Amino acid sequence: TNSLQLYSGCSAPFVHRVVLQLSLNSVPKMGKAKYGNWQEQEANGEEKTAKTRITYAKKQHFKKCREVGHAIKGMPLLKAQWLLQQVLEHKRGIPMKRFTGGCGRHSVGKLDSAPGNCVAFPEKATKLFLDLLTNVQANAEEPTKGLDVTRLVIKRVQVNRAPVTRRRTYRAHGRIGKYEGHPAHIEIEVEEQGKAVEATEADKPAVRLTAKRAAQLRVKVGGGAASA
């Protein structure tokens, strides 16, 4: 029988026995777990993406890594590598948009429309991101992926704050001060973009005119009351 009987009692007479019957037919059957759209495509090899990541990056400050990641997000892979090389040569800067404390103002900030020309040249974080971009490029060129590097675009850049590392440093007069590090977890995902298709006239959205502009277009040139 498809049932499970559990008895509870003792050896004393006139003991009430409680019988708990659980019908196994009433238990729902668990099917296979369904993947999400991107997970299913990645399992079937249809997802045209490549990923890389690093955890507990200790030599780079989290704040600088966040700004570098925000600067290259959405860029083509080759352009992002070129930009970071320019940053190492101090020909371009990384716009400091969230963590603006202590950043200087440089004329190269005008090239990136940085607020107040506040840019920085974080060499350690820039070198780390160059290594990550080289790694994700190698992952994309694997035989299992076979992606076109010239059409890769940085789809996602995620920089998370890692646990703070705590040490101590010795100060004057027998005092001790904290000596903390701010590591980061970094993930980068690139995606191969399809070939661009020129939009036709039918695909272009219709221009919506306001009532004022439509009235202006209806007025003829030289209109108005006729002179007597």
Side-chain angles (χ1 to χ4, degrees), residues 11 105 121-122 144 154 175 186:
S11 58
R105 301 175 185 270
F121 309 97
T144 55
I154 300 177
R175 293 177 294 127
I186 305 172

Side-chain angles (χ1 to χ4, degrees), residues 54 83 153 158:
I54 184 173
L83 175 64
V153 177
Q158 182 171 339

Side-chain angles (χ1 to χ4, degrees), residues 75-90:
M75 280 188 181
L77 177 62
L78 300 181
K79 182 180 179 181
Q81 291 176 336
W82 170 82
L83 175 64
L84 296 182
Q85 288 289 350
Q86 295 286 306
V87 172
L88 293 179
E89 299 174 4
H90 289 205

Side-chain angles (χ1 to χ4, degrees), residues 142-192:
E142 288 184 353
T144 55
K145 296 280 186 179
L147 303 180
D148 187 2
V149 180
T150 59
R151 294 193 296 169
L152 290 180
V153 177
I154 300 177
K155 176 183 178 182
R156 183 175 64 91
V157 179
Q158 182 171 339
V159 181
N160 293 336
R161 192 189 300 267
V164 176
T165 59
R166 293 178 174 86
R167 292 178 291 172
R168 62 176 60 183
T169 184
Y170 301 96
R171 311 302 298 273
H173 307 291
R175 293 177 294 127
I176 291 179
K178 67 175 183 179
Y179 204 74
E180 294 182 342
H182 298 269
H185 305 314
I186 305 172
E187 296 183 8
I188 298 178
E189 181 179 359
V190 296
E191 182 180 17
E192 185 182 62

